[in-house]
């Protein structure tokens, strides 16, 4: 008779809800990044390089968070608490990166 392991267990409903909530939050960030990209396209040429670098950092943070969430979805034995904490920290980093991009866009629109 085979022993049950964490890898054999399906995620609980609470874990599934948590993963879904994190996925929804990341979807909202994707929309915000897309909005910022539109603003970037309208920004003055003299700040495009600075904004582009900040957006690249923002997108990289987003992709890292999305990857970690995908790993948590596919690995029932993963430690959901640690995954959630990591993704939540990446969402904080996303907020900071997006805020920095918006600040640059605001400064250039006033010039």
């Amino acid at each position: 008779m085979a022993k049950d392991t964490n890898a054999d267990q399906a995620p609980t409903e609470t874990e599934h809800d948590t993963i879904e909530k994190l996925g929804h939050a990341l979807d909202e960030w994707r929309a915000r990044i897309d909005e910022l990209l539109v603003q970037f396209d309208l920004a003055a040429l003299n700040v495009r390089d600075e904004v582009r670098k900040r957006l690249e950092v923002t997108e990289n943070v987003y992709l890292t968070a999305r990857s970690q969430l995908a790993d948590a979805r596919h690995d029932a034995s993963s430690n959901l608490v640690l995954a959630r904490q990591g993704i939540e920290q990446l969402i904080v980093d996303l907020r900071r990166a997006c805020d920095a991009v918006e600040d640059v866009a605001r400064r250039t629109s006033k010039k």
Side-chain angles (χ1 to χ4, degrees):
M1 187 157 114
K3 265 177 115 177
D4 282 340
T5 64
N6 284 343
D8 295 334
Q9 297 173 356
T12 65
E13 190 63 32
T14 303
E15 291 170 338
H16 178 72
D17 291 345
T18 300
I19 289 171
E20 289 305 310
K21 285 177 186 175
L22 290 170
H24 180 68
L26 288 174
D27 291 342
E28 289 175 357
W29 281 106
R30 177 75 258 172
R32 187 169 177 198
I33 290 169
D34 290 342
E35 273 184 46
L36 291 171
L37 286 168
V38 169
Q39 289 180 16
F40 163 73
D41 287 338
L42 301 174
L45 290 174
N46 60 344
V47 296
R48 283 186 182 235
D49 288 340
E50 180 182 354
V51 172
R52 174 53 73 186
K53 287 176 189 173
R54 291 175 190 250
L55 279 172
E56 286 171 357
V57 168
T58 303
E59 284 189 307
N60 287 338
V61 172
Y62 166 82
L63 291 171
T64 299
R66 184 53 79 184
S67 175
Q68 286 185 7
L69 183 60
D71 290 346
R73 276 192 176 122
H74 298 297
D75 184 4
S77 67
S78 69
N79 186 335
L80 186 63
V81 172
L82 289 177
R84 188 192 80 229
Q85 289 172 345
I87 293 168
E88 287 174 346
Q89 181 57 51
L90 287 168
I91 289 173
V92 168
D93 295 344
L94 274 171
R95 180 176 294 111
R96 288 180 183 147
C98 285
D99 288 347
V101 171
E102 287 175 336
D103 287 344
V104 171
R106 260 189 245 109
R107 284 195 313 260
T108 59
S109 67
K110 291 179 183 179
K111 289 183 180 180

